[in-house]
Amino acid sequence: MATKGYTRELDEGTAYWFVGTRMTVKAGMKETQGRLSLIECRAPAGYEPPAHIHVDEDEIFYMLEGALELDCAGEKYTIGAGGLVFLPRAVDHWFRVTDDGPARWLVLTAPGKFEQLIAAVGEVADGPDFPPPAEPDFDRLISTAAEYGINFILPQS
Protein backbone atom coordinates (compact mmCIF):
# COMPACT_ATOMS: atom_id res chain seq x y z
CA MET A 1 0.00 0.00 0.00
CA ALA A 2 1.23 3.50 -0.82
CA THR A 3 2.40 5.26 2.30
CA LYS A 4 2.82 8.77 0.90
CA GLY A 5 1.57 10.87 -1.95
CA TYR A 6 3.62 12.62 -4.61
CA THR A 7 3.20 15.03 -7.49
CA ARG A 8 4.34 15.25 -11.10
CA GLU A 9 4.33 18.57 -12.91
CA LEU A 10 3.69 19.07 -16.63
CA ASP A 11 7.17 18.11 -17.84
CA GLU A 12 8.03 15.67 -15.03
CA GLY A 13 8.20 11.89 -15.20
CA THR A 14 10.45 9.46 -17.01
CA ALA A 15 10.00 9.99 -20.76
CA TYR A 16 10.67 7.26 -23.32
CA TRP A 17 10.78 7.17 -27.08
CA PHE A 18 8.70 4.10 -27.82
CA VAL A 19 8.04 2.90 -31.38
CA GLY A 20 7.73 6.39 -32.87
CA THR A 21 5.97 7.96 -29.87
CA ARG A 22 6.92 9.82 -26.72
CA MET A 23 5.58 8.22 -23.53
CA THR A 24 6.05 9.87 -20.13
CA VAL A 25 5.37 7.81 -17.01
CA LYS A 26 3.47 10.07 -14.62
CA ALA A 27 2.48 7.41 -12.06
CA GLY A 28 4.43 4.19 -12.24
CA MET A 29 4.23 0.74 -10.77
CA LYS A 30 6.90 1.66 -8.23
CA GLU A 31 4.80 4.50 -6.85
CA THR A 32 1.53 2.55 -6.95
CA GLN A 33 2.88 -0.81 -5.75
CA GLY A 34 2.07 -2.30 -9.16
CA ARG A 35 -1.64 -1.49 -9.08
CA LEU A 36 -1.60 0.88 -12.06
CA SER A 37 0.40 3.11 -14.36
CA LEU A 38 -0.58 6.49 -15.77
CA ILE A 39 1.31 7.45 -18.91
CA GLU A 40 1.12 10.60 -21.00
CA CYS A 41 1.31 9.57 -24.66
CA ARG A 42 2.16 11.76 -27.62
CA ALA A 43 2.06 10.41 -31.16
CA PRO A 44 2.19 11.92 -34.65
CA ALA A 45 -0.63 11.97 -37.20
CA GLY A 46 -1.29 8.52 -38.64
CA TYR A 47 0.45 6.61 -35.82
CA GLU A 48 -1.14 3.16 -35.63
CA PRO A 49 0.21 0.20 -33.68
CA PRO A 50 -0.92 -3.29 -34.71
CA ALA A 51 -4.07 -4.67 -33.11
CA HIS A 52 -3.28 -6.23 -29.76
CA ILE A 53 -4.64 -7.71 -26.56
CA HIS A 54 -3.60 -6.91 -23.00
CA VAL A 55 -4.15 -10.31 -21.42
CA ASP A 56 -4.60 -9.13 -17.83
CA GLU A 57 -4.63 -5.34 -17.99
CA ASP A 58 -7.53 -2.92 -18.39
CA GLU A 59 -6.84 0.37 -20.21
CA ILE A 60 -8.46 3.77 -20.20
CA PHE A 61 -7.52 6.43 -22.76
CA TYR A 62 -8.36 10.04 -21.89
CA MET A 63 -7.73 12.49 -24.73
CA LEU A 64 -5.97 15.77 -24.02
CA GLU A 65 -5.32 16.98 -27.59
CA GLY A 66 -6.04 15.65 -31.07
CA ALA A 67 -8.19 12.64 -31.84
CA LEU A 68 -7.99 8.85 -32.03
CA GLU A 69 -9.96 6.35 -34.06
CA LEU A 70 -10.33 3.08 -32.14
CA ASP A 71 -11.71 -0.39 -32.58
CA CYS A 72 -12.44 -2.53 -29.54
CA ALA A 73 -13.73 -6.02 -30.40
CA GLY A 74 -15.30 -4.70 -33.59
CA GLU A 75 -16.92 -1.62 -32.01
CA LYS A 76 -15.57 1.56 -33.63
CA TYR A 77 -15.09 4.85 -31.79
CA THR A 78 -13.57 8.26 -32.42
CA ILE A 79 -12.61 10.36 -29.41
CA GLY A 80 -11.24 13.89 -29.26
CA ALA A 81 -10.07 16.20 -26.48
CA GLY A 82 -12.03 15.45 -23.32
CA GLY A 83 -13.13 12.02 -24.63
CA LEU A 84 -12.53 8.74 -22.84
CA VAL A 85 -12.57 5.12 -23.92
CA PHE A 86 -12.34 2.00 -21.74
CA LEU A 87 -10.56 -1.00 -23.27
CA PRO A 88 -11.13 -4.13 -21.15
CA ARG A 89 -8.48 -6.76 -20.61
CA ALA A 90 -8.38 -9.80 -22.88
CA VAL A 91 -10.22 -7.97 -25.70
CA ASP A 92 -8.55 -7.14 -29.01
CA HIS A 93 -8.22 -3.48 -29.91
CA TRP A 94 -6.31 -1.04 -32.09
CA PHE A 95 -6.15 2.71 -32.46
CA ARG A 96 -4.92 5.32 -34.90
CA VAL A 97 -4.07 9.00 -34.48
CA THR A 98 -6.22 10.87 -37.00
CA ASP A 99 -4.59 12.61 -39.95
CA ASP A 100 -5.04 15.99 -38.31
CA GLY A 101 -2.74 14.86 -35.44
CA PRO A 102 -0.51 14.86 -33.52
CA ALA A 103 -2.38 13.64 -30.46
CA ARG A 104 -1.74 13.67 -26.73
CA TRP A 105 -3.62 11.48 -24.27
CA LEU A 106 -3.34 9.76 -20.92
CA VAL A 107 -3.39 5.99 -20.74
CA LEU A 108 -4.22 4.36 -17.42
CA THR A 109 -3.45 0.65 -17.18
CA ALA A 110 -4.37 -1.56 -14.25
CA PRO A 111 -2.24 -3.26 -13.29
CA GLY A 112 0.59 -1.23 -14.80
CA LYS A 113 2.55 -3.73 -16.87
CA PHE A 114 2.42 -1.68 -20.09
CA GLU A 115 4.90 0.68 -18.42
CA GLN A 116 7.38 -2.20 -18.18
CA LEU A 117 7.13 -2.85 -21.93
CA ILE A 118 7.83 0.81 -22.68
CA ALA A 119 10.93 0.73 -20.49
CA ALA A 120 12.13 -2.59 -21.94
CA VAL A 121 11.74 -1.71 -25.63
CA GLY A 122 11.93 2.09 -25.62
CA GLU A 123 14.82 4.35 -24.82
CA VAL A 124 14.95 7.27 -22.43
CA ALA A 125 13.96 10.33 -24.48
CA ASP A 126 16.81 12.62 -25.45
CA GLY A 127 14.64 15.70 -25.85
CA PRO A 128 11.06 16.97 -25.80
CA ASP A 129 10.11 15.89 -29.33
CA PHE A 130 9.25 12.62 -31.04
CA PRO A 131 12.15 10.23 -31.65
CA PRO A 132 14.15 10.48 -34.85
CA PRO A 133 12.54 8.44 -37.66
CA ALA A 134 13.61 4.80 -37.53
CA GLU A 135 12.20 1.43 -38.54
CA PRO A 136 10.92 -0.31 -35.37
CA ASP A 137 12.31 -3.71 -34.45
CA PHE A 138 8.93 -5.48 -34.58
CA ASP A 139 10.38 -8.92 -33.78
CA ARG A 140 11.83 -7.56 -30.52
CA LEU A 141 8.64 -5.62 -29.75
CA ILE A 142 6.40 -8.65 -30.29
CA SER A 143 8.54 -11.05 -28.25
CA THR A 144 9.08 -8.59 -25.41
CA ALA A 145 5.41 -7.57 -25.33
CA ALA A 146 4.43 -11.21 -24.82
CA GLU A 147 6.59 -11.26 -21.66
CA TYR A 148 4.32 -8.52 -20.24
CA GLY A 149 1.02 -10.09 -21.30
CA ILE A 150 0.51 -8.05 -24.47
CA ASN A 151 -0.10 -10.07 -27.62
CA PHE A 152 -0.08 -8.53 -31.09
CA ILE A 153 -2.55 -9.69 -33.72
CA LEU A 154 -0.59 -9.65 -36.95
CA PRO A 155 -2.02 -9.97 -40.43
CA GLN A 156 -1.73 -13.45 -41.89
CA SER A 157 0.57 -13.62 -44.91
PDB file of all heavy atoms in Angstrom, residues 44-71:
ATOM      1  N   PRO A  44       2.440  11.111 -33.463  1.00  0.00           N
ATOM      2  CA  PRO A  44       2.193  11.924 -34.654  1.00  0.00           C
ATOM      3  C   PRO A  44       0.952  11.459 -35.417  1.00  0.00           C
ATOM      4  O   PRO A  44       0.445  10.357 -35.208  1.00  0.00           O
ATOM      5  CB  PRO A  44       3.461  11.699 -35.485  1.00  0.00           C
ATOM      6  CG  PRO A  44       3.946  10.345 -35.076  1.00  0.00           C
ATOM      7  CD  PRO A  44       3.585  10.209 -33.622  1.00  0.00           C
ATOM      8  N   ALA A  45       0.502  12.303 -36.327  1.00  0.00           N
ATOM      9  CA  ALA A  45      -0.627  11.968 -37.199  1.00  0.00           C
ATOM     10  C   ALA A  45      -0.365  10.635 -37.888  1.00  0.00           C
ATOM     11  O   ALA A  45       0.746  10.364 -38.330  1.00  0.00           O
ATOM     12  CB  ALA A  45      -0.822  13.065 -38.240  1.00  0.00           C
ATOM     13  N   GLY A  46      -1.390   9.792 -37.945  1.00  0.00           N
ATOM     14  CA  GLY A  46      -1.286   8.516 -38.640  1.00  0.00           C
ATOM     15  C   GLY A  46      -0.656   7.396 -37.836  1.00  0.00           C
ATOM     16  O   GLY A  46      -0.643   6.245 -38.284  1.00  0.00           O
ATOM     17  N   TYR A  47      -0.152   7.675 -36.639  1.00  0.00           N
ATOM     18  CA  TYR A  47       0.453   6.608 -35.824  1.00  0.00           C
ATOM     19  C   TYR A  47      -0.597   5.527 -35.563  1.00  0.00           C
ATOM     20  O   TYR A  47      -1.722   5.811 -35.158  1.00  0.00           O
ATOM     21  CB  TYR A  47       0.981   7.169 -34.500  1.00  0.00           C
ATOM     22  CG  TYR A  47       1.482   6.092 -33.580  1.00  0.00           C
ATOM     23  CD1 TYR A  47       2.729   5.505 -33.787  1.00  0.00           C
ATOM     24  CD2 TYR A  47       0.702   5.637 -32.525  1.00  0.00           C
ATOM     25  CE1 TYR A  47       3.186   4.491 -32.952  1.00  0.00           C
ATOM     26  CE2 TYR A  47       1.157   4.631 -31.691  1.00  0.00           C
ATOM     27  CZ  TYR A  47       2.393   4.060 -31.923  1.00  0.00           C
ATOM     28  OH  TYR A  47       2.841   3.056 -31.094  1.00  0.00           O
ATOM     29  N   GLU A  48      -0.200   4.273 -35.784  1.00  0.00           N
ATOM     30  CA  GLU A  48      -1.141   3.162 -35.627  1.00  0.00           C
ATOM     31  C   GLU A  48      -0.380   1.889 -35.275  1.00  0.00           C
ATOM     32  O   GLU A  48       0.209   1.251 -36.132  1.00  0.00           O
ATOM     33  CB  GLU A  48      -1.924   2.955 -36.925  1.00  0.00           C
ATOM     34  CG  GLU A  48      -2.928   1.849 -36.860  1.00  0.00           C
ATOM     35  CD  GLU A  48      -3.704   1.694 -38.160  1.00  0.00           C
ATOM     36  OE1 GLU A  48      -3.510   2.510 -39.086  1.00  0.00           O
ATOM     37  OE2 GLU A  48      -4.492   0.747 -38.237  1.00  0.00           O
ATOM     38  N   PRO A  49      -0.409   1.483 -34.011  1.00  0.00           N
ATOM     39  CA  PRO A  49       0.208   0.196 -33.677  1.00  0.00           C
ATOM     40  C   PRO A  49      -0.671  -0.950 -34.162  1.00  0.00           C
ATOM     41  O   PRO A  49      -1.869  -0.763 -34.392  1.00  0.00           O
ATOM     42  CB  PRO A  49       0.283   0.223 -32.146  1.00  0.00           C
ATOM     43  CG  PRO A  49      -0.840   1.113 -31.745  1.00  0.00           C
ATOM     44  CD  PRO A  49      -0.982   2.140 -32.845  1.00  0.00           C
ATOM     45  N   PRO A  50      -0.096  -2.134 -34.320  1.00  0.00           N
ATOM     46  CA  PRO A  50      -0.922  -3.288 -34.709  1.00  0.00           C
ATOM     47  C   PRO A  50      -1.977  -3.588 -33.649  1.00  0.00           C
ATOM     48  O   PRO A  50      -1.808  -3.259 -32.466  1.00  0.00           O
ATOM     49  CB  PRO A  50       0.086  -4.440 -34.793  1.00  0.00           C
ATOM     50  CG  PRO A  50       1.428  -3.805 -34.864  1.00  0.00           C
ATOM     51  CD  PRO A  50       1.322  -2.485 -34.173  1.00  0.00           C
ATOM     52  N   ALA A  51      -3.051  -4.230 -34.071  1.00  0.00           N
ATOM     53  CA  ALA A  51      -4.067  -4.671 -33.113  1.00  0.00           C
ATOM     54  C   ALA A  51      -3.393  -5.553 -32.066  1.00  0.00           C
ATOM     55  O   ALA A  51      -2.440  -6.272 -32.359  1.00  0.00           O
ATOM     56  CB  ALA A  51      -5.165  -5.444 -33.843  1.00  0.00           C
ATOM     57  N   HIS A  52      -3.897  -5.467 -30.846  1.00  0.00           N
ATOM     58  CA  HIS A  52      -3.275  -6.229 -29.762  1.00  0.00           C
ATOM     59  C   HIS A  52      -4.272  -6.477 -28.639  1.00  0.00           C
ATOM     60  O   HIS A  52      -5.361  -5.928 -28.619  1.00  0.00           O
ATOM     61  CB  HIS A  52      -2.018  -5.514 -29.237  1.00  0.00           C
ATOM     62  CG  HIS A  52      -2.270  -4.114 -28.764  1.00  0.00           C
ATOM     63  ND1 HIS A  52      -2.356  -3.042 -29.641  1.00  0.00           N
ATOM     64  CD2 HIS A  52      -2.450  -3.612 -27.528  1.00  0.00           C
ATOM     65  CE1 HIS A  52      -2.562  -1.934 -28.944  1.00  0.00           C
ATOM     66  NE2 HIS A  52      -2.639  -2.257 -27.665  1.00  0.00           N
ATOM     67  N   ILE A  53      -3.842  -7.331 -27.729  1.00  0.00           N
ATOM     68  CA  ILE A  53      -4.638  -7.709 -26.559  1.00  0.00           C
ATOM     69  C   ILE A  53      -3.749  -7.585 -25.328  1.00  0.00           C
ATOM     70  O   ILE A  53      -2.635  -8.112 -25.315  1.00  0.00           O
ATOM     71  CB  ILE A  53      -5.134  -9.168 -26.684  1.00  0.00           C
ATOM     72  CG1 ILE A  53      -6.070  -9.331 -27.875  1.00  0.00           C
ATOM     73  CG2 ILE A  53      -5.808  -9.624 -25.387  1.00  0.00           C
ATOM     74  CD1 ILE A  53      -6.412 -10.777 -28.205  1.00  0.00           C
ATOM     75  N   HIS A  54      -4.246  -6.904 -24.315  1.00  0.00           N
ATOM     76  CA  HIS A  54      -3.599  -6.913 -22.999  1.00  0.00           C
ATOM     77  C   HIS A  54      -4.276  -8.040 -22.219  1.00  0.00           C
ATOM     78  O   HIS A  54      -5.454  -7.928 -21.868  1.00  0.00           O
ATOM     79  CB  HIS A  54      -3.795  -5.578 -22.281  1.00  0.00           C
ATOM     80  CG  HIS A  54      -3.131  -4.422 -22.954  1.00  0.00           C
ATOM     81  ND1 HIS A  54      -2.019  -3.812 -22.422  1.00  0.00           N
ATOM     82  CD2 HIS A  54      -3.406  -3.776 -24.112  1.00  0.00           C
ATOM     83  CE1 HIS A  54      -1.650  -2.818 -23.221  1.00  0.00           C
ATOM     84  NE2 HIS A  54      -2.479  -2.781 -24.261  1.00  0.00           N
ATOM     85  N   VAL A  55      -3.560  -9.103 -21.990  1.00  0.00           N
ATOM     86  CA  VAL A  55      -4.147 -10.310 -21.417  1.00  0.00           C
ATOM     87  C   VAL A  55      -4.768 -10.061 -20.047  1.00  0.00           C
ATOM     88  O   VAL A  55      -5.876 -10.526 -19.765  1.00  0.00           O
ATOM     89  CB  VAL A  55      -3.095 -11.444 -21.338  1.00  0.00           C
ATOM     90  CG1 VAL A  55      -3.645 -12.666 -20.628  1.00  0.00           C
ATOM     91  CG2 VAL A  55      -2.612 -11.798 -22.737  1.00  0.00           C
ATOM     92  N   ASP A  56      -4.080  -9.317 -19.182  1.00  0.00           N
ATOM     93  CA  ASP A  56      -4.597  -9.131 -17.826  1.00  0.00           C
ATOM     94  C   ASP A  56      -4.513  -7.680 -17.366  1.00  0.00           C
ATOM     95  O   ASP A  56      -4.282  -7.397 -16.197  1.00  0.00           O
ATOM     96  CB  ASP A  56      -3.874 -10.050 -16.845  1.00  0.00           C
ATOM     97  CG  ASP A  56      -2.367  -9.850 -16.843  1.00  0.00           C
ATOM     98  OD1 ASP A  56      -1.868  -8.943 -17.533  1.00  0.00           O
ATOM     99  OD2 ASP A  56      -1.682 -10.607 -16.138  1.00  0.00           O
ATOM    100  N   GLU A  57      -4.754  -6.765 -18.295  1.00  0.00           N
ATOM    101  CA  GLU A  57      -4.626  -5.341 -17.989  1.00  0.00           C
ATOM    102  C   GLU A  57      -5.774  -4.573 -18.645  1.00  0.00           C
ATOM    103  O   GLU A  57      -5.994  -4.674 -19.846  1.00  0.00           O
ATOM    104  CB  GLU A  57      -3.302  -4.870 -18.601  1.00  0.00           C
ATOM    105  CG  GLU A  57      -2.625  -3.761 -17.928  1.00  0.00           C
ATOM    106  CD  GLU A  57      -1.239  -3.532 -18.543  1.00  0.00           C
ATOM    107  OE1 GLU A  57      -0.973  -3.851 -19.714  1.00  0.00           O
ATOM    108  OE2 GLU A  57      -0.426  -3.002 -17.808  1.00  0.00           O
ATOM    109  N   ASP A  58      -6.533  -3.826 -17.857  1.00  0.00           N
ATOM    110  CA  ASP A  58      -7.535  -2.919 -18.394  1.00  0.00           C
ATOM    111  C   ASP A  58      -6.837  -1.618 -18.773  1.00  0.00           C
ATOM    112  O   ASP A  58      -5.846  -1.229 -18.145  1.00  0.00           O
ATOM    113  CB  ASP A  58      -8.621  -2.609 -17.353  1.00  0.00           C
ATOM    114  CG  ASP A  58      -9.448  -3.832 -16.990  1.00  0.00           C
ATOM    115  OD1 ASP A  58      -9.807  -4.597 -17.907  1.00  0.00           O
ATOM    116  OD2 ASP A  58      -9.739  -4.007 -15.798  1.00  0.00           O
ATOM    117  N   GLU A  59      -7.389  -0.923 -19.788  1.00  0.00           N
ATOM    118  CA  GLU A  59      -6.836   0.365 -20.207  1.00  0.00           C
ATOM    119  C   GLU A  59      -7.950   1.399 -20.300  1.00  0.00           C
ATOM    120  O   GLU A  59      -9.059   1.072 -20.713  1.00  0.00           O
ATOM    121  CB  GLU A  59      -6.238   0.288 -21.615  1.00  0.00           C
ATOM    122  CG  GLU A  59      -4.897  -0.341 -21.736  1.00  0.00           C
ATOM    123  CD  GLU A  59      -4.374  -0.216 -23.160  1.00  0.00           C
ATOM    124  OE1 GLU A  59      -4.960  -0.833 -24.072  1.00  0.00           O
ATOM    125  OE2 GLU A  59      -3.384   0.503 -23.351  1.00  0.00           O
ATOM    126  N   ILE A  60      -7.603   2.619 -19.949  1.00  0.00           N
ATOM    127  CA  ILE A  60      -8.458   3.767 -20.200  1.00  0.00           C
ATOM    128  C   ILE A  60      -7.621   4.789 -20.934  1.00  0.00           C
ATOM    129  O   ILE A  60      -6.488   5.082 -20.527  1.00  0.00           O
ATOM    130  CB  ILE A  60      -9.016   4.371 -18.905  1.00  0.00           C
ATOM    131  CG1 ILE A  60      -9.985   3.404 -18.240  1.00  0.00           C
ATOM    132  CG2 ILE A  60      -9.674   5.722 -19.170  1.00  0.00           C
ATOM    133  CD1 ILE A  60     -10.507   3.872 -16.900  1.00  0.00           C
ATOM    134  N   PHE A  61      -8.141   5.304 -22.043  1.00  0.00           N
ATOM    135  CA  PHE A  61      -7.515   6.426 -22.763  1.00  0.00           C
ATOM    136  C   PHE A  61      -8.354   7.662 -22.461  1.00  0.00           C
ATOM    137  O   PHE A  61      -9.583   7.637 -22.623  1.00  0.00           O
ATOM    138  CB  PHE A  61      -7.542   6.216 -24.277  1.00  0.00           C
ATOM    139  CG  PHE A  61      -6.604   5.178 -24.816  1.00  0.00           C
ATOM    140  CD1 PHE A  61      -5.898   4.290 -24.028  1.00  0.00           C
ATOM    141  CD2 PHE A  61      -6.436   5.083 -26.188  1.00  0.00           C
ATOM    142  CE1 PHE A  61      -5.053   3.344 -24.569  1.00  0.00           C
ATOM    143  CE2 PHE A  61      -5.591   4.143 -26.756  1.00  0.00           C
ATOM    144  CZ  PHE A  61      -4.896   3.271 -25.938  1.00  0.00           C
ATOM    145  N   TYR A  62      -7.697   8.749 -22.071  1.00  0.00           N
ATOM    146  CA  TYR A  62      -8.359  10.042 -21.886  1.00  0.00           C
ATOM    147  C   TYR A  62      -7.637  11.060 -22.755  1.00  0.00           C
ATOM    148  O   TYR A  62      -6.450  11.326 -22.556  1.00  0.00           O
ATOM    149  CB  TYR A  62      -8.339  10.478 -20.417  1.00  0.00           C
ATOM    150  CG  TYR A  62      -9.031  11.809 -20.237  1.00  0.00           C
ATOM    151  CD1 TYR A  62     -10.412  11.889 -20.213  1.00  0.00           C
ATOM    152  CD2 TYR A  62      -8.303  12.986 -20.124  1.00  0.00           C
ATOM    153  CE1 TYR A  62     -11.058  13.111 -20.079  1.00  0.00           C
ATOM    154  CE2 TYR A  62      -8.932  14.206 -19.995  1.00  0.00           C
ATOM    155  CZ  TYR A  62     -10.308  14.260 -19.968  1.00  0.00           C
ATOM    156  OH  TYR A  62     -10.942  15.467 -19.851  1.00  0.00           O
ATOM    157  N   MET A  63      -8.342  11.599 -23.743  1.00  0.00           N
ATOM    158  CA  MET A  63      -7.730  12.491 -24.726  1.00  0.00           C
ATOM    159  C   MET A  63      -7.519  13.893 -24.168  1.00  0.00           C
ATOM    160  O   MET A  63      -8.428  14.477 -23.576  1.00  0.00           O
ATOM    161  CB  MET A  63      -8.599  12.583 -25.982  1.00  0.00           C
ATOM    162  CG  MET A  63      -8.685  11.303 -26.777  1.00  0.00           C
ATOM    163  SD  MET A  63      -7.086  10.653 -27.298  1.00  0.00           S
ATOM    164  CE  MET A  63      -6.513  11.968 -28.368  1.00  0.00           C
ATOM    165  N   LEU A  64      -6.303  14.409 -24.404  1.00  0.00           N
ATOM    166  CA  LEU A  64      -5.966  15.775 -24.021  1.00  0.00           C
ATOM    167  C   LEU A  64      -5.964  16.701 -25.239  1.00  0.00           C
ATOM    168  O   LEU A  64      -6.457  17.828 -25.171  1.00  0.00           O
ATOM    169  CB  LEU A  64      -4.600  15.812 -23.337  1.00  0.00           C
ATOM    170  CG  LEU A  64      -4.478  14.967 -22.071  1.00  0.00           C
ATOM    171  CD1 LEU A  64      -3.032  14.901 -21.605  1.00  0.00           C
ATOM    172  CD2 LEU A  64      -5.377  15.522 -20.978  1.00  0.00           C
ATOM    173  N   GLU A  65      -5.401  16.208 -26.355  1.00  0.00           N
ATOM    174  CA  GLU A  65      -5.323  16.985 -27.591  1.00  0.00           C
ATOM    175  C   GLU A  65      -5.405  16.020 -28.767  1.00  0.00           C
ATOM    176  O   GLU A  65      -4.942  14.889 -28.675  1.00  0.00           O
ATOM    177  CB  GLU A  65      -3.988  17.733 -27.686  1.00  0.00           C
ATOM    178  CG  GLU A  65      -3.741  18.730 -26.584  1.00  0.00           C
ATOM    179  CD  GLU A  65      -2.321  19.283 -26.601  1.00  0.00           C
ATOM    180  OE1 GLU A  65      -1.506  18.904 -27.467  1.00  0.00           O
ATOM    181  OE2 GLU A  65      -2.018  20.100 -25.723  1.00  0.00           O
ATOM    182  N   GLY A  66      -5.957  16.488 -29.882  1.00  0.00           N
ATOM    183  CA  GLY A  66      -6.042  15.654 -31.073  1.00  0.00           C
ATOM    184  C   GLY A  66      -7.180  14.659 -30.964  1.00  0.00           C
ATOM    185  O   GLY A  66      -8.088  14.811 -30.150  1.00  0.00           O
ATOM    186  N   ALA A  67      -7.115  13.631 -31.810  1.00  0.00           N
ATOM    187  CA  ALA A  67      -8.191  12.635 -31.844  1.00  0.00           C
ATOM    188  C   ALA A  67      -7.634  11.270 -32.206  1.00  0.00           C
ATOM    189  O   ALA A  67      -6.628  11.149 -32.908  1.00  0.00           O
ATOM    190  CB  ALA A  67      -9.263  13.051 -32.858  1.00  0.00           C
ATOM    191  N   LEU A  68      -8.315  10.235 -31.725  1.00  0.00           N
ATOM    192  CA  LEU A  68      -7.990   8.848 -32.029  1.00  0.00           C
ATOM    193  C   LEU A  68      -9.212   8.163 -32.624  1.00  0.00           C
ATOM    194  O   LEU A  68     -10.343   8.404 -32.190  1.00  0.00           O
ATOM    195  CB  LEU A  68      -7.594   8.067 -30.771  1.00  0.00           C
ATOM    196  CG  LEU A  68      -6.355   8.464 -30.009  1.00  0.00           C
ATOM    197  CD1 LEU A  68      -6.202   7.573 -28.773  1.00  0.00           C
ATOM    198  CD2 LEU A  68      -5.129   8.371 -30.883  1.00  0.00           C
ATOM    199  N   GLU A  69      -8.967   7.299 -33.593  1.00  0.00           N
ATOM    200  CA  GLU A  69      -9.957   6.346 -34.063  1.00  0.00           C
ATOM    201  C   GLU A  69      -9.596   5.030 -33.398  1.00  0.00           C
ATOM    202  O   GLU A  69      -8.416   4.665 -33.351  1.00  0.00           O
ATOM    203  CB  GLU A  69      -9.881   6.203 -35.578  1.00  0.00           C
ATOM    204  CG  GLU A  69     -10.178   7.482 -36.318  1.00  0.00           C
ATOM    205  CD  GLU A  69      -9.810   7.405 -37.790  1.00  0.00           C
ATOM    206  OE1 GLU A  69      -9.003   6.537 -38.191  1.00  0.00           O
ATOM    207  OE2 GLU A  69     -10.326   8.243 -38.546  1.00  0.00           O
ATOM    208  N   LEU A  70     -10.576   4.326 -32.871  1.00  0.00           N
ATOM    209  CA  LEU A  70     -10.327   3.084 -32.144  1.00  0.00           C
ATOM    210  C   LEU A  70     -11.295   2.006 -32.583  1.00  0.00           C
ATOM    211  O   LEU A  70     -12.403   2.299 -33.035  1.00  0.00           O
ATOM    212  CB  LEU A  70     -10.507   3.286 -30.631  1.00  0.00           C
ATOM    213  CG  LEU A  70      -9.673   4.360 -29.978  1.00  0.00           C
ATOM    214  CD1 LEU A  70     -10.513   5.566 -29.678  1.00  0.00           C
ATOM    215  CD2 LEU A  70      -9.038   3.834 -28.728  1.00  0.00           C
ATOM    216  N   ASP A  71     -10.848   0.778 -32.382  1.00  0.00           N
ATOM    217  CA  ASP A  71     -11.705  -0.388 -32.577  1.00  0.00           C
ATOM    218  C   ASP A  71     -11.462  -1.300 -31.386  1.00  0.00           C
ATOM    219  O   ASP A  71     -10.326  -1.672 -31.102  1.00  0.00           O
ATOM    220  CB  ASP A  71     -11.350  -1.109 -33.882  1.00  0.00           C
ATOM    221  CG  ASP A  71     -12.266  -2.294 -34.146  1.00  0.00           C
ATOM    222  OD1 ASP A  71     -12.278  -3.226 -33.314  1.00  0.00           O
ATOM    223  OD2 ASP A  71     -12.936  -2.299 -35.179  1.00  0.00           O
TER     224      ASP A  71
END
